[in-house]
Amino acid sequence: MESIFENLYVNRDLQGVLFSSVCSKYSLTRTELLILLVLREDALNTAKDIVDKLKLAKSHVSTSVRDLEERGYIKSRYEGDDHRTIHLQLCESAAEIVEAGREAQNEFISIICDGFSSEERRKLKNYIERMTANANEYLKNK
């Protein structure tokens, strides 16, 4: 089971290496890049959604969201009559960055799944989804 911990650490480092070139090119922090990638998923569009998905501190997300807004990569809006929740939306100016981030994510998957068959990839995806759900359930109850 120690290999699970090693996997977590090495994957975090690999993500850092792959994301660093994107972050450098666009003068972003890793947190800002992750936020842009999360916002491309239409269903996740509030700061709370980002905090919950990425397990980041609210203060880091708030700072990053403010910086991304100031740079014109995202905009905030209210939906309907609900003025309690601010929804975030990607701007067209972020499209190139998001695409570069997606390419880095795809390279990550390609590297870690090298030599896996389609069936093995499907099973791995299922196992990881179950492990993530288990961890989220545990954390929700804390």
Side-chain angles (χ1 to χ4, degrees):
M1 290 308 229
E2 282 185 30
S3 62
I4 290 175
F5 291 107
E6 181 181 356
N7 180 268
L8 293 171
Y9 300 132
V10 75
N11 282 338
R12 181 193 62 215
D13 289 348
L14 176 60
Q15 182 195 50
V17 167
L18 296 173
F19 280 8
S20 67
S21 62
V22 177
C23 291
S24 294
K25 181 176 180 178
Y26 297 100
S27 300
L28 296 171
T29 66
R30 188 168 157 182
T31 299
E32 290 168 341
L33 178 57
L34 289 170
I35 288 170
L36 293 176
L37 290 170
V38 167
L39 288 176
R40 101 186 135 62
E41 302 173 30
D42 290 333
L44 303 173
N45 66 8
T46 68
K48 183 181 181 333
D49 292 334
I50 294 165
V51 167
D52 291 346
K53 179 160 180 112
L54 299 177
K55 307 297 186 246
L56 297 171
K58 291 178 190 177
S59 59
H60 289 127
V61 171
S62 293
T63 300
S64 295
V65 163
R66 184 174 48 251
D67 291 346
L68 290 167
E69 272 189 293
E70 288 173 2
R71 294 168 71 186
Y73 294 137
I74 62 174
K75 60 184 173 183
S76 58
R77 59 185 165 65
Y78 295 105
E79 287 188 356
D81 293 333
D82 182 5
H83 289 270
R84 295 171 294 160
T85 303
I86 297 174
H87 296 268
L88 305 170
Q89 181 179 359
L90 286 172
C91 296
E92 184 60 35
S93 57
E96 183 179 319
I97 299 168
V98 171
E99 181 57 30
R102 290 283 299 142
E103 288 173 13
Q105 287 179 321
N106 289 337
E107 185 176 1
F108 176 88
I109 298 300
S110 178
I111 291 168
I112 65 168
C113 292
D114 185 38
F116 283 48
S117 68
S118 296
E119 180 62 17
E120 288 171 324
R121 285 180 183 227
R122 187 190 64 72
K123 286 181 179 179
L124 177 62
K125 180 180 183 279
N126 182 267
Y127 296 146
I128 290 172
E129 287 173 352
R130 287 172 48 197
M131 289 169 35
T132 302
N134 289 342
N136 280 329
E137 184 63 29
Y138 178 85
L139 291 171
K140 185 171 71 174
N141 295 321
K142 283 292 169 193

